[in-house]
């Protein structure tokens, strides 16, 4: 028997300002809707390659940035802070996965490039946006950073050697 998941956020006295990095993703959209319904502010981050599935009209603002570029992350955070006055919660939820064995993925320069690209997105992307957000959070001496990554929850039966151990 599963316990039902509550869609209630903890109460608070002032609206919080959220920056959600993957605003075009299903989890980014679902979280943004819940946050907005709760009365908080949201800025949705997106990459230029993201398909516009209506996310640009969902939050108060949508910021285009490349998480692999620290300068673009800093500019997006600066715009968010200027617009909302603060960032209380940074929610990083960008993730990608390449499926294959280590032998297959190390077989050619093209597949190694895909593996490097995955690490740029899954590891260095969140590091860049966190580095860009920390000064604003330190300045106000508060904030939360939530990082949600991985594909194992959607395909737990698969073994991803680039993500998991054997």
């Amino acid at each position: 028997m599963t316990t039902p998941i509550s869609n209630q956020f903890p109460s608070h006295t002032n609206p919080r300002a959220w920056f959600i990095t993957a605003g075009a993703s299903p989890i980014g959209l679902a979280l943004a809707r819940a946050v907005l319904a709760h009365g908080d502010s949201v800025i949705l981050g997106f990459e230029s390659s993201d398909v516009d599935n209506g996310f640009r009209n969902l939050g108060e603002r949508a910021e285009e940035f490349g998480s692999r570029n620290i300068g673009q992350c800093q500019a997006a955070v600066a715009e968010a802070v200027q617009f909302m006055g603060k960032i209380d919660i940074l929610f990083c939820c960008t993730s990608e996965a390449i499926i294959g064995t280590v032998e297959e993925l190390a077989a050619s320069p093209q597949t190694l490039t895909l593996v490097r690209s995955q690490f740029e997105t899954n590891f260095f992307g969140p590091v860049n946006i966190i580095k860009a957000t920390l000064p604003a959070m330190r300045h106000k001496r508060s904030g939360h950073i939530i990082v949600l990554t991985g594909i194992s929850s959607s395909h737990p039966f698969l073994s991803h050697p680039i993500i998991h151990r054997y």
Side-chain angles (χ1 to χ4, degrees):
M1 179 174 190
T2 60
T3 305
I5 297 173
S6 171
N7 61 358
Q8 298 296 314
F9 278 77
S11 62
H12 54 86
T13 55
N14 296 318
R16 293 172 290 201
W18 290 68
F19 189 105
I20 301 173
T21 61
S25 71
I27 189 136
L29 285 170
L31 179 61
R33 286 185 183 107
V35 165
L36 288 168
H38 188 62
D40 290 346
S41 299
V42 176
I43 289 189
L44 297 169
F46 69 97
E47 305 240 358
S48 60
S49 61
D50 289 340
V51 175
D52 187 357
N53 55 5
F55 72 92
R56 292 178 196 213
N57 300 323
L58 183 62
E60 279 91 336
R61 191 175 182 120
E63 286 292 329
E64 181 178 351
F65 73 99
S67 62
R68 298 175 183 200
N69 182 311
I70 187 70
Q72 290 182 17
C73 290
Q74 291 167 332
V77 167
E79 289 284 326
V81 170
Q82 182 178 10
F83 182 75
M84 294 191 295
K86 61 183 179 173
I87 296 176
D88 294 312
I89 302 165
L90 170 64
F91 188 83
C92 301
C93 57
T94 305
S95 185
E96 65 180 41
I98 301 165
I99 299 172
T101 65
V102 171
E103 296 84 3
E104 291 171 330
L105 296 174
S108 72
Q110 291 85 7
T111 55
L112 282 175
T113 299
L114 292 173
V115 170
R116 285 188 181 93
S117 175
Q118 175 181 304
F119 275 91
E120 286 288 330
T121 299
N122 293 352
F123 179 76
F124 292 108
V127 167
N128 287 339
I129 195 70
I130 290 167
K131 282 173 55 177
T133 307
L134 278 175
M137 288 183 171
R138 283 191 178 125
H139 178 73
K140 67 182 197 75
R141 302 178 59 102
S142 69
H144 300 278
I145 298 170
I146 303 166
V147 181
L148 178 67
T149 64
I151 193 168
S152 60
S153 62
S154 60
H155 298 291
F157 56 89
L158 296 176
S159 175
H160 301 288
I162 300 302
I163 302 171
H164 306 282
R165 58 181 165 24
Y166 279 92

